[in-house]
Amino acid sequence: MPGAIHAEGLVKTFGDVRALDGVDLDVPEGTVLGLLGPNGAGKTTTVRCLTTLLRPDSGKAVVAGLDVLEQPDAVRRSIGLSGQFAAVDEYLTGRENLRMVGQLYQMPAKAAKVRADELLEQFHLADAADRTAKTYSGGMRRRLDLAAALVVSPPVMFMDEPTTGLDPRNRQQLWGVIKQLVSGGTTLLLTTQYLEEADHLAHDIAVVDHGRVIAQGTSDQLKARTGGERVEVVVHDREHIRAARALLDKYSLRGPGAGDTTVEDHMRKITTPVSGGAKLLAEIIRELDSRGIEIDDIGLRRPTLDDVFLSLTGHVAEIKDEDDGAAQDTAGHGHRHGKEAVK
């Protein structure tokens, strides 16, 4: 039985650009799928196809038990969407923005007022509720936009890089809100560039590159494919870089997906994938000391997004200006909530 969000073989092209090249996804009800990838990989195009803002050239998609191609209006009534950029009316107050969204969903005026007040408290915007949105900071607008997507508590949510522009404290608060939603039964597809964010929120992660899902699994499974840990050593003298690398190569993991030892000459830093934890780290420190290689820093860390992409695709996650430029032109900004997408 397919999940609350299900896609098979989604293809979308813009001229010569194949933005989606056969995307398959399945998100069980009440879980979070993190769609991870660099800008330009096809994350936003996937979201736009699943939320009816774009029509795929081929493939099948079902959201909340509804066929995206055959029942688009019903899909829009069953989902919430928060796009990459805050879509709020700058000339309305925060409270008025949320009430307006409630009215678009045909909520009774009293219910829309109560729900707006609840969300303003939940997103720590109550003190600014009666200020116009144009006076809000970028992070406040982002939170208001996310609140608007939750006015009707939809069973299925799509969040496209929701923490972009948020400071660490607001990001943590949003993570808490998302966890509450999911614990209440909401299904969420979350796009992000941050492996840390997927670590905190996603039950499963799909890695997308060049319009294809190139890997899928839990965060730990993906990290294991790139080497479960990394040792980073910063040597004191540049002349010791070669000797330190040769030493670390002895401990480096081998095999598909493990990655290679890398050197950043300007930082005098050597990094290699390993397995062995603190015990191995202590052994490396002893051997460096015995060879007279002085170090400024050494530590163990988990793989980063660049580590994952370097091992899976052979290139780092390059950041571009916009996820899918052609999609932007075709679908406008694509940052609408439920019935706001109905034209």
Side-chain angles (χ1 to χ4, degrees):
M1 182 176 178
I5 303 172
H6 183 77
E8 294 179 15
L10 289 184
V11 173
K12 184 64 183 176
T13 59
F14 301 99
D16 295 332
V17 177
R18 200 171 180 86
L20 299 183
D21 194 16
V23 169
D24 297 323
L25 296 173
D26 192 73
V27 190
E29 185 176 346
T31 67
V32 180
L33 175 70
L35 204 58
L36 192 70
N39 283 343
K43 304 188 305 295
T44 294
T45 299
T46 299
V47 168
R48 289 172 178 165
C49 287
L50 292 172
T51 57
T52 77
L53 293 174
L54 284 176
R55 187 178 180 89
D57 299 329
S58 61
K60 176 182 178 182
V62 176
V63 174
L66 301 164
D67 190 294
V68 171
L69 297 179
E70 296 180 2
Q71 301 167 282
D73 290 346
V75 169
R76 291 165 186 154
R77 288 191 290 268
S78 303
I79 64 173
L81 168 63
S82 178
Q84 287 186 7
F85 305 98
V88 298
D89 190 319
E90 292 190 344
Y91 296 96
L92 296 180
T93 67
R95 194 187 311 276
E96 289 168 342
N97 266 284
L98 297 183
R99 289 184 184 178
M100 177 186 70
V101 174
Q103 291 167 357
L104 289 170
Y105 278 103
Q106 299 180 354
M107 293 176 66
K110 185 175 180 180
K113 178 181 182 299
V114 171
R115 183 58 177 156
D117 291 343
E118 290 174 351
L119 289 167
L120 289 165
E121 289 287 346
Q122 187 176 19
F123 282 86
H124 305 278
L125 291 169
D127 290 343
D130 297 312
R131 284 168 41 194
T132 56
K134 66 181 179 181
T135 68
Y136 284 16
S137 67
M140 292 170 69
R141 291 188 190 195
R142 193 74 180 118
R143 281 181 281 151
L144 182 62
D145 181 68
L146 291 166
L150 299 174
V151 166
V152 294
S153 302
V156 178
M157 277 289 302
F158 294 85
M159 293 186 177
D160 195 4
E161 299 189 15
T163 60
T164 299
L166 296 186
D167 60 35
R169 182 171 65 88
N170 285 322
R171 183 173 294 164
Q172 292 280 348
Q173 289 174 347
L174 177 58
W175 289 350
V177 170
I178 290 173
K179 288 178 179 179
Q180 288 176 7
L181 284 172
V182 177
S183 66
T186 299
T187 304
L188 173 63
L189 189 150
L190 168 81
T191 78
T192 181
Q193 296 180 26
Y194 307 118
L195 194 56
E196 179 190 12
E197 187 157 276
D199 262 336
H200 278 79
L201 300 174
H203 297 89
D204 208 18
I205 297 170
V207 181
V208 181
D209 195 29
H210 293 108
R212 290 178 175 270
V213 176
I214 60 173
Q216 188 162 355
T218 66
S219 177
D220 285 341
Q221 288 170 341
L222 291 177
K223 290 175 181 180
R225 291 185 60 170
T226 61
E229 300 165 316
R230 295 287 191 276
V231 167
E232 290 184 343
V233 175
V234 179
V235 298
H236 183 70
D237 296 316
R238 194 175 301 277
E239 63 190 37
H240 287 149
I241 290 177
R242 182 176 295 182
R245 173 172 183 163
L247 188 157
L248 290 179
D249 274 338
K250 293 195 328 181
Y251 297 96
S252 180
L253 284 176
R254 305 298 179 188
D260 299 318
T261 300
T262 61
V263 177
E264 298 174 62
D265 284 298
H266 63 292
M267 298 178 65
R268 308 184 309 282
K269 181 166 74 174
I270 306 100
T271 305
T272 195
V274 298
S275 178
K279 184 177 179 180
L280 177 65
L281 185 63
E283 183 178 341
I284 291 172
I285 291 172
R286 286 194 296 270
E287 190 163 353
L288 286 166
D289 185 59
S290 70
R291 296 188 183 194
I293 300 174
E294 186 177 353
I295 60 174
D296 289 341
D297 193 18
I298 187 169
L300 274 175
R301 65 166 175 81
R302 303 296 300 277
T304 64
L305 174 62
D306 278 350
D307 295 326
V308 172
F309 267 82
L310 190 59
S311 64
L312 291 175
T313 70
H315 64 80
V316 297
E318 297 176 0
I319 304 301
K320 299 179 182 178
D321 290 337
E322 173 62 31
D323 189 45
D324 298 292
Q328 178 81 1
D329 293 338
T330 303
H333 290 293
H335 313 304
R336 299 177 174 86
H337 310 286
K339 279 192 175 179
E340 288 183 276
V342 181
K343 296 295 184 183

